[in-house]
Amino acid sequence: MADRTDTAPGAAPALVRLTDVSKYYGNIRALQGVSLEVSAGEITCVLGDNGAGKSTLIKIIAGLHRHDAGSFEIEGEETVLANPRAALDHGIATVYQDLAVVPLMPVWRNFFLGSEPTRGRGPLRRLDVPFMRETTRTELLRMGIDLRDVDQPIGTLSGGERQCVAIARAVYFGAKVLVLDEPTAALGVKQSGVVLKYVAAARDAGLGVVLITHNPHHAYLVGDRFVLLKRGTMAGSHTRDSITLDELTRQMAGGSELDELSHELERVAESGPDSTPSGPDTPSGTTAP
């Protein structure tokens, strides 16, 4: 396992750093001894199969759950997040897989959902619709997203386009750290590529990105750091220049367990599923009476 990289003297501290973080639900261990670092302008990929602890890790970073052991630092200061609002106040925005959008509302309304600007006072106070429309269009274009019409219901967009709107929204509202929960899980190859393009755009805009995924190929396309989880514990921690895609895939797939499975499958293939050993007294190619 690669050693954690400490902050160089005089350098800005990591935006988020978890050190030996653990989380328990009664007697059930959800996470134990997990460490990761998220720096500005970098993508940290967290990989693992279902049940590896990725969801618990997201909830800790997003302020939904408190960690039970270890340290959680934000820009060098140890922190305990009381709730998701506290995480947002620290510049941590989380985009969940379900996106939490209202499908029948227009794109601009979803872009400002929960943070709608208004104009006027008292009984004349109303939503500033022209500002929301124009800002949504401008911010999406800034991220390279050219929608046909921001008045169309967001439910008419493809899964990849909805993910991109959520990323642009987080950037606009001042996120320093963007946590993405399996953004390509339900997408095809082309749409996955589009989403990864905007994930890279968020990194290039100076954000620190945490990309949760079970796909090592997607992670290796954009990742700078890789943290592998298995059954709530760390199975590996690497920088991009210290591991190849083949080795990352092998470690995520189980390493020696995968080698053993491959050996077993080779034995089955060699023997053949329909092969039946001949009896000791029955010559091959003859039928016993």
Side-chain angles (χ1 to χ4, degrees):
M1 181 183 299
D3 294 332
R4 177 174 64 83
T5 303
D6 292 320
T7 304
L15 294 175
V16 167
R17 175 178 286 155
L18 276 64
T19 306
D20 295 329
V21 163
S22 299
K23 178 65 183 176
Y24 300 91
Y25 299 102
N27 294 325
I28 300 174
R29 180 196 71 190
L31 286 179
Q32 183 170 351
V34 173
S35 301
L36 67 79
E37 182 176 308
V38 186
S39 298
E42 288 189 352
I43 298 175
T44 297
C45 298
V46 179
L47 299 102
D49 288 327
N50 293 336
K54 304 191 301 297
S55 295
T56 301
L57 184 62
I58 290 175
K59 290 172 183 176
I60 291 174
I61 297 174
L64 282 166
H65 291 171
R66 297 189 183 191
H67 56 289
D68 295 319
S71 67
F72 182 176
E73 298 176 18
I74 298 178
E75 297 187 84
E77 295 185 7
E78 189 160 352
T79 306
V80 176
L81 297 175
N83 50 52
R85 172 51 61 183
L88 286 171
D89 291 342
H90 281 90
I92 300 174
T94 303
V95 178
Y96 294 99
Q97 194 170 337
D98 60 11
L99 297 179
V101 298
V102 182
L104 295 180
M105 281 187 177
V107 174
W108 61 264
R109 188 67 187 270
N110 276 278
F111 191 91
F112 282 93
L113 194 62
S115 302
E116 295 87 349
T118 59
R119 60 181 177 179
R121 296 181 180 180
L124 298 178
R125 188 178 181 186
R126 60 195 184 280
L127 294 178
D128 193 345
V129 175
F131 173 81
M132 286 191 279
R133 282 196 178 111
E134 184 58 33
T135 301
T136 299
R137 185 178 293 106
T138 300
E139 291 303 315
L140 292 178
L141 281 172
R142 185 173 297 174
M143 290 288 291
I145 307 166
D146 187 7
L147 289 184
R148 296 174 297 277
D149 182 10
V150 295
D151 283 301
Q152 67 188 102
I154 199 169
T156 63
L157 302 183
S158 68
E161 288 173 326
R162 290 197 297 272
Q163 286 282 354
C164 297
V165 170
I167 293 170
R169 181 184 190 277
V171 172
Y172 172 74
F173 282 102
K176 296 179 181 178
V177 176
L178 181 61
V179 183
L180 300 170
D181 176 22
E182 299 274 9
T184 62
L187 304 180
V189 175
K190 184 176 181 180
Q191 288 193 31
S192 294
V194 170
V195 171
L196 292 175
K197 173 184 174 182
Y198 296 120
V199 171
R203 174 198 61 198
D204 295 341
L207 277 71
V209 180
V210 181
L211 176 63
I212 311 294
T213 182
H214 63 270
N215 190 318
H217 294 272
H218 290 171
Y220 203 79
L221 280 172
V222 296
D224 299 291
R225 301 173 185 268
F226 307 98
V227 173
L228 288 88
L229 298 182
K230 183 178 181 181
R231 297 175 185 172
T233 61
M234 291 187 67
S237 179
H238 309 276
T239 56
R240 185 182 181 85
D241 58 2
S242 67
I243 192 169
T244 64
L245 173 59
D246 288 344
E247 181 59 23
L248 183 67
T249 304
R250 181 178 180 277
Q251 287 195 22
M252 185 180 169
S256 58
E257 296 177 12
L258 183 64
D259 292 340
E260 184 177 341
L261 176 61
S262 298
H263 179 64
E264 291 296 323
L265 292 175
E266 286 173 4
R267 290 177 58 187
V268 170
E270 288 172 1
S271 61
D274 298 326
S275 61
T276 304
S278 302
D281 300 324
T282 306
S284 178
T286 63
T287 302

